[in-house]
Amino acid sequence: MVHRTRVIILGRQGAGKGTQCARLAARLAVPHVSTGDLFRAEAAEGTELGRQAAAYFDAGSLVPDELVLDLVVQRLDADDARAAGYLLDGFPRTLAQGQALFEVLGDWAADVAVELDVPTSVVLPRLAARRVCQDCGATSRAAPGAAEVATCERCGGTVTRRTDDTDEAIHRRLATYDQESGPLLSWFDDKGLLVRVDGVGDPDDVHHRLLDAVRSRIPDIGEV
Ligand code: AP5
Ligand code: MG
């Protein structure tokens, strides 16, 4: 497999990976591959993989590597990713996953790994306010004190909190990130692939910082 634009976006839960990747993927015309979204889609379809994964992600634990790797390799082997490349959101998130990705795809697995840097004190209120439409999947921010269930402004569907945005699961996810991210980030840094981007502030500003970071490693990046 040889891909054209290969970007990995890292960052703790609530850093804005999904928000920024949706926009960046459209801008770069590459598929947005989110392991969390892939697992949620499997769970919604009621597949065996979705059922197995849901037990882990609802509790805020990592899904075992063997389940994640097969899913990612299969997704990156699809025609769109083979032709255009990919924007990876939420994978790899352990050193073992990073090493496995490079073992499978070779040294060209990534042009750049961007860490969207947002402190825990900033992500906690973001996760508490996050709402997701169960019908169209749109992510939004609830105003302080807003109801847990609302109507989607985009499609009229039902907007709720994510099943893993409970206090307990949030704390477990953040603790896991703090434990697992250090070795992975150092490994990307040693490979010369890591760029850190400040993820605090207006989403438009963060988008432009991210684009600059990607351009710093892929100067001839195609943009639509
Ligand atoms: P996943 O779906 O990837 O969840 P996560 O890692 O917990 O990250 P989030 O999606 O919570 O955060 P985000 O950075 O995308 O933030 P968002 O853009 O939504 O994974 C879920 C689960 O699947 C895992 O816990 C695990 O079980 C399993 N899994 C997935 N990948 C795996 C792997 N590789 N290995 C093993 N298991 C795996 O933004 C959050 C909120 O902030 C939103 O409301 C948004 O509107 C708001 N916001 C965004 N940007 C800004 C800004 N600049 N200013 C203010 N608010 C903002
Ligand atoms: Mg996300």
Side-chain angles (χ1 to χ4, degrees):
M1 278 187 251
V2 180
H3 302 87
R4 200 168 59 91
T5 300
R6 298 139 305 190
V7 178
I8 294 173
I9 305 289
L10 307 154
R12 62 170 46 82
Q13 293 69 18
K17 301 182 297 296
T19 305
Q20 292 295 334
C21 284
R23 197 163 161 183
L24 202 54
R27 181 94 182 233
L28 304 180
V30 293
H32 170 195
V33 178
S34 155
T35 39
D37 288 349
L38 290 174
F39 283 128
R40 279 184 286 276
E42 293 281 335
E45 283 173 27
T47 66
E48 175 59 20
L49 174 61
R51 196 189 56 73
Q52 288 177 352
Y56 294 95
F57 66 68
D58 282 352
S61 306
L62 290 183
V63 176
D65 282 351
E66 58 272 22
L67 298 183
V68 185
L69 284 169
D70 282 356
L71 189 69
V72 172
V73 168
Q74 204 181 333
R75 179 62 189 86
L76 298 188
D77 200 27
D79 289 347
D80 59 347
R82 278 177 165 271
Y86 45 79
L87 188 51
L88 276 175
D89 161 4
F91 182 92
R93 64 177 81 195
T94 64
L95 178 57
Q97 290 181 4
Q99 290 169 333
L101 179 71
F102 277 70
E103 268 162 33
V104 174
L105 298 188
D107 277 344
W108 50 85
D111 301 298
V112 60
V114 184
E115 187 198 17
L116 205 48
D117 190 17
V118 181
T120 302
S121 58
V122 175
V123 300
L124 283 173
R126 285 189 188 178
L127 292 172
R130 174 166 58 190
R131 298 291 185 272
V132 179
C133 177
Q134 302 308 305
D135 295 303
C136 72
T139 296
S140 56
R141 272 176 283 170
E148 296 260 321
V149 180
T151 301
C152 179
E153 286 180 8
R154 193 198 280 183
C155 77
T158 305
V159 173
T160 60
R161 291 185 78 161
R162 244 169 60 172
T163 52
D164 60 346
D165 276 347
T166 59
D167 288 349
E168 199 182 326
I170 287 171
H171 283 99
R172 185 167 300 144
R173 283 154 61 206
L174 288 169
T176 304
Y177 183 80
D178 288 339
Q179 280 160 17
E180 302 287 355
S181 67
L184 179 66
L185 294 172
S186 301
W187 186 73
F188 276 128
D189 206 12
D190 290 346
K191 282 180 159 302
L193 291 175
L194 185 68
V195 180
R196 283 198 166 83
V197 166
D198 181 4
V200 179
D202 186 275
D204 285 348
D205 295 337
V206 177
H207 173 69
H208 287 107
R209 279 179 226 143
L210 263 177
L211 262 183
D212 286 345
V214 173
R215 269 197 214 106
S216 73
R217 300 304 171 97
I218 316 175
D220 59 344
I221 202 154
E223 288 178 45
V224 293

